[in-house]
Amino acid sequence: MVTQSFRQAIESNMQRFVIGTVRRILELPEEDADRKLLISGGLGNIISVISSPDQFEMYRFLINAAVANDAQIFAGPAALSGINPLISALHFFQVDSTNEASLAALRAMEKECSPTFMSYILTLPTLPYVVGRSDASHAFFKQHIQLMKRYAGEDKLVLGTRQQFQQGGHTLTEYAIQGLHHARQNAAYAIENGFSTWQEMTRAIHRLNVYSLDQLVNVWRKQGQTFDQVYPTDPRDVDIARYNMSLLEYAVKKRFLSGIIILLNAGADVHTVGSWDWGALASDLEYSADEWEHMDLGEREEVILAYFDDGLVDRKDSTILPRTLDDQTIYETVHHWLLVLLRVATENSSRDV
């Protein structure tokens, strides 16, 4: 238990006082009662109070001290309630570019905790949300994914624990995909390391994430998988009715033109999309495709924003619209794809059902 006065010192960012006090206690003989109390849970309780990026130096000292002294920092009700050193680490990714202190917390957890307890901590809702959505946490993210992957494949663990690690990796990856350009390194690393199922596919389509979808499609093609099975739509997608559909149908319903192009180029079957849906897409694209040459720059930008922008700051930074293209070439490329997709949609809107 952290005393009220010591808690106030932490919250007031009295870092020198806190660090000095902890250092003096750690320098006491191992049999000293205060030192034993600090090692057996006190450090973990102190860390759980930290909640500001301004307290990074204090956090780094405490984590390193815990690792060096084999302190129990994940013990007690605080860790069970989700207030533990890893959760505290979430405050520091923007000020700790190497993720040094956060990685130390991860090592301490793996050293101290059982796999079952780790699976609980690593799947607390706050952790994958913050870790996955930004590349500021990339070093930590990589270790997190590797840990999930390793324990998910550990035969000595009971099936339920392995499945929890496996699903935790998928959740972490889905948040990275959701982060778009803010978490492109995270998403790419997770996909490369095996988190590349239909769950990630549907999240990429829901989020209109060109990069992740392109990478996932390449992984599936190397594995010899097809794209014509039906899957549940992303559960976070409130715009699409809840029923199973092919990935291509999902992209068509989302008007995710870049995604449609990627899937068609990968061999997705146009017949997995109903003629009515193709007809609706043709109706939406007809004006933009036919009137493109007569549009001013502002109108063209609106079309690109509506159909090709996947949430990126730089719309040129795309697999469909590469950064190397100049504006005129981009406009020509967009018009080309509009005409191609209009033709595909029109041809399939009139086929026999």
Side-chain angles (χ1 to χ4, degrees):
M1 175 68 71
V2 180
T3 65
Q4 184 61 33
S5 60
F6 202 70
R7 176 183 290 271
Q8 289 176 348
I10 296 171
E11 293 174 346
S12 300
N13 202 24
M14 297 172 63
Q15 299 197 61
R16 293 177 63 184
F17 170 78
V18 172
I19 291 172
T21 301
V22 171
R23 180 179 283 123
R24 283 193 296 274
I25 295 175
L26 289 174
E27 290 171 351
L28 294 171
E30 290 187 6
E31 64 272 13
D32 183 88
D34 287 337
R35 189 182 189 283
K36 286 184 176 180
L37 186 62
L38 189 67
I39 295 299
S40 64
L43 273 174
N45 289 330
I46 294 171
I47 292 170
S48 70
V49 179
I50 294 174
S51 61
S52 168
D54 295 335
Q55 298 168 325
F56 171 64
E57 292 303 327
M58 184 171 13
Y59 175 86
R60 179 164 58 183
F61 169 79
L62 294 170
I63 285 293
N64 288 332
V67 173
N69 291 276
D70 293 327
Q72 298 176 23
I73 58 176
F74 286 88
L80 286 169
S81 66
I83 304 173
N84 60 64
L86 279 185
I87 300 301
S88 298
L90 304 183
H91 300 288
F92 303 116
F93 289 130
Q94 297 298 333
V95 295
D96 180 17
S97 60
T98 64
N99 299 170
E100 169 205 344
S102 308
L103 288 168
L106 197 62
R107 289 194 298 274
M109 180 203 66
E110 192 170 8
K111 185 177 181 180
E112 178 184 342
C113 302
S114 69
T116 301
F117 192 51
M118 282 194 295
S119 71
Y120 169 77
I121 292 176
L122 291 172
T123 54
L124 287 167
T126 306
L127 192 64
Y129 172 71
V130 176
V131 173
R133 65 179 182 164
S134 171
D135 284 338
S137 62
H138 186 57
F140 183 87
F141 180 93
K142 288 169 63 177
Q143 291 302 313
H144 196 164
I145 281 288
Q146 285 298 330
L147 192 149
M148 292 291 198
K149 182 179 178 180
R150 183 166 73 252
Y151 283 101
E154 178 54 71
D155 293 337
K156 295 179 181 179
L157 299 180
V158 298
L159 178 60
T161 300
R162 296 204 308 270
Q163 289 176 334
Q164 193 165 358
F165 277 113
Q166 185 71 28
Q167 185 54 49
H170 287 301
T171 301
L172 193 60
T173 306
E174 288 167 25
Y175 276 120
I177 291 171
Q178 185 173 320
L180 297 171
H181 65 288
H182 297 293
R184 193 179 306 162
Q185 291 183 70
N186 286 352
Y189 186 81
I191 292 168
E192 288 169 2
N193 280 273
F195 293 96
S196 54
T197 68
W198 65 266
Q199 292 174 260
E200 286 75 35
M201 280 283 197
T202 56
R203 176 55 53 86
I205 293 172
H206 166 45
R207 291 297 293 164
L208 313 184
N209 190 324
V210 172
Y211 300 93
S212 292
L213 181 64
D214 195 38
Q215 187 178 7
L216 286 162
V217 164
N218 287 333
V219 169
W220 278 32
R221 293 178 75 174
K222 290 177 183 177
Q223 294 172 346
Q225 297 191 58
T226 65
F227 301 89
D228 302 332
Q229 301 96 322
V230 295
Y231 304 101
T233 54
D234 191 290
R236 288 181 173 81
D237 193 343
V238 298
D239 299 322
I240 300 295
R242 299 268 74 77
Y243 68 91
N244 294 356
M245 62 183 71
S246 72
L247 298 171
L248 183 59
E249 182 181 3
Y250 195 13
V252 167
K253 287 184 179 294
K254 294 292 291 184
R255 300 299 185 263
F256 182 20
L257 300 195
S258 297
I260 296 171
I261 294 164
I262 289 171
L263 289 166
L264 288 175
N265 286 340
D269 186 355
V270 295
H271 294 89
T272 62
V273 182
S275 57
W276 188 92
D277 283 317
W278 282 122
L281 177 63
S283 296
D284 285 351
L285 297 182
E286 187 172 12
Y287 174 81
S288 297
D290 291 347
E291 296 298 319
W292 182 264
E293 297 291 352
H294 306 295
M295 290 180 181
D296 60 30
L297 294 182
E299 291 171 319
R300 290 182 177 184
E301 292 292 336
E302 289 180 6
V303 172
I304 292 174
L305 182 64
Y307 293 126
F308 290 95
D309 184 357
D310 60 346
L312 302 174
V313 172
D314 182 355
R315 62 168 174 72
K316 295 181 184 180
D317 193 6
S318 166
T319 54
I320 302 301
L321 304 175
R323 179 185 292 276
T324 54
L325 300 182
D326 56 44
D327 284 346
Q328 184 57 40
T329 307
I330 284 178
Y331 294 143
E332 292 172 358
T333 304
V334 168
H335 190 206
H336 164 75
W337 285 119
L338 285 171
L339 292 172
V340 168
L341 290 175
L342 177 60
R343 176 178 55 78
V344 172
T346 301
E347 289 175 354
N348 287 282
S349 65
S350 60
R351 69 168 189 259
D352 292 333
V353 180

